[in-house]
Amino acid sequence: MTTSNSKIEPESDGRRQRTERSRTAIIEASLSLLEEGILVPTAQQISDRAGVGIRTFFRHFEDMNTLFEAVDDSIRSHYETLILTGDRNGSLEERIDHAVDRHAAVYEQVANVILSAAAQRWRYDVLRKNYARSQRGLRKDLDNLLPEIKDLPQSTREAIDAIASFELWNRLREHQGQSKRSTISIVSSLLKTLITH
């Protein structure tokens, strides 16, 4: 009886490890394709990049919705840490600079993930849910870092959120050809004008 169990457990552990490796490879392949600018990768493209068969893909993820959820879970703690860490001391102007620097770090790292989500949000519930959660998180972070903005008129607050958004960041970087440093300077200046005057 003991011998039988000792044979079954290593086989079961090995199968579990292979399963986890395949699942991780699929998630990493998805991120790799996004980083290369393939914003709407297919299950076949992801499977090919991960080195697994399409049936293996769908054994792990019943559809793209469940894959996107797993991808988000795998990177969320990293970008939330980037947003929530950093210097929260200093004058109002210094804190605005800190906030813009941190947002810039996140936007630069996950730009293609955000663009991919935007391109497919109409189709997948999980992407709409994740986007809404991210927007709430960014707003809460600004409230914590810049409590002064809570007393501003609602229209000013909405303008602040728009200026601090990825959408403005991406427009300046991609459509208007601004460097990262220039974009940080523009966003910081706009926020300071709204908040400190």
Side-chain angles (χ1 to χ4, degrees):
M1 201 83 167
T2 305
T3 307
S4 172
N5 283 342
S6 65
K7 285 182 179 177
I8 291 170
E9 286 175 14
E11 287 175 14
S12 176
D13 287 347
R15 196 164 36 247
R16 194 167 27 251
Q17 288 171 354
R18 283 192 303 277
T19 297
E20 190 53 39
R21 277 197 302 271
S22 294
R23 189 176 193 279
T24 300
I26 291 167
I27 292 170
E28 289 176 353
S30 302
L31 288 168
S32 174
L33 289 165
L34 292 178
E35 285 168 9
E36 292 171 18
I38 301 169
L39 300 183
V40 188
T42 65
Q44 188 64 60
Q45 286 173 307
I46 295 167
S47 299
D48 291 345
R49 176 63 59 90
V52 301
I54 192 74
R55 285 191 297 185
T56 300
F57 177 98
F58 285 111
R59 263 201 309 275
H60 290 289
F61 303 102
E62 62 187 56
D63 54 25
M64 296 301 278
N65 212 48
T66 53
L67 171 64
F68 293 144
E69 194 155 22
V71 167
D72 183 69
D73 287 344
S74 76
I75 62 172
R76 185 187 322 147
S77 64
H78 174 66
Y79 66 73
E80 285 180 349
T81 298
L82 283 174
I83 285 286
L84 297 173
T85 57
D87 192 353
R88 292 176 173 259
N89 300 310
S91 67
L92 175 57
E93 291 204 353
E94 288 170 335
R95 285 180 283 125
I96 290 170
D97 287 337
H98 298 324
V100 175
D101 284 343
R102 286 209 314 279
H103 286 190
V106 173
Y107 294 159
E108 288 290 301
Q109 287 188 30
V110 298
N112 282 349
V113 174
I114 297 171
L115 291 170
S116 174
Q120 302 181 82
R121 212 164 50 225
W122 65 274
R123 179 185 279 173
Y124 298 108
D125 289 341
V126 70
L127 296 179
R128 289 192 293 276
K129 180 187 76 176
N130 291 349
Y131 180 80
R133 187 195 64 238
S134 296
Q135 296 310 300
R136 289 191 303 272
L138 288 170
R139 188 174 180 116
K140 183 177 179 184
D141 182 59
L142 283 178
D143 283 344
N144 290 337
L145 186 59
L146 309 170
E148 295 88 346
I149 65 180
K150 294 178 185 176
D151 297 325
L152 295 174
Q154 184 63 28
S155 60
T156 304
R157 177 55 205 268
E158 296 303 330
I160 289 166
D161 283 349
I163 291 166
S165 70
F166 171 78
E167 286 76 11
L168 179 62
W169 179 268
N170 188 60
R171 178 178 178 83
L172 288 166
R173 292 284 281 128
E174 296 301 319
H175 303 291
Q176 294 179 218
Q178 297 298 305
S179 68
K180 179 181 175 182
R181 181 173 300 191
S182 174
T183 303
I184 287 173
S185 176
I186 291 167
V187 172
S188 291
S189 295
L190 287 170
L191 289 175
K192 287 172 187 174
T193 299
L194 270 180
I195 298 169
T196 63
H197 292 90

